[in-house]
Amino acid sequence: MDNDSYMNPSTKEEEYSNKRYAFEIIIPKEEKDNILSQLDLLGVNEKSIFPGLDSIGRYTDFIFRNQK
């Protein structure tokens, strides 16, 4: 076994694990606010992903517009 064998995948599983994939998920317009609210409950929101005054302002606007 040569020293470079770690660089070459030996199985199909290792070969596929090195590939990158992109997916498109289409979300119906009427579900957008519901999904954003659920993500916000999990702490995933514009404020946490893009910290800064602009995103905090947009996040605050989103919260006040969607209060029920």
Side-chain angles (χ1 to χ4, degrees), residues 26-67:
I26 299 172
I27 299 172
K29 188 177 190 178
E30 55 275 359
E31 292 296 321
K32 178 182 174 183
D33 286 337
N34 183 33
I35 292 171
L36 289 174
S37 294
Q38 290 178 13
L39 286 170
D40 186 45
L41 290 173
L42 297 170
V44 179
N45 52 51
E46 188 171 7
K47 180 183 72 164
S48 65
I49 295 174
F50 305 108
L53 291 176
D54 290 344
S55 59
I56 291 171
R58 283 190 296 271
Y59 173 75
T60 304
D61 184 56
F62 171 76
I63 293 299
F64 284 113
R65 288 182 188 273
N66 291 311
Q67 283 183 347

Side-chain angles (χ1 to χ4, degrees), residues 5-19:
S5 64
Y6 70 92
M7 300 276 293
N8 300 320
S10 60
T11 66
K12 286 290 184 187
E13 183 177 309
E14 290 173 345
E15 184 178 328
Y16 289 125
S17 68
N18 293 329
K19 300 202 185 274

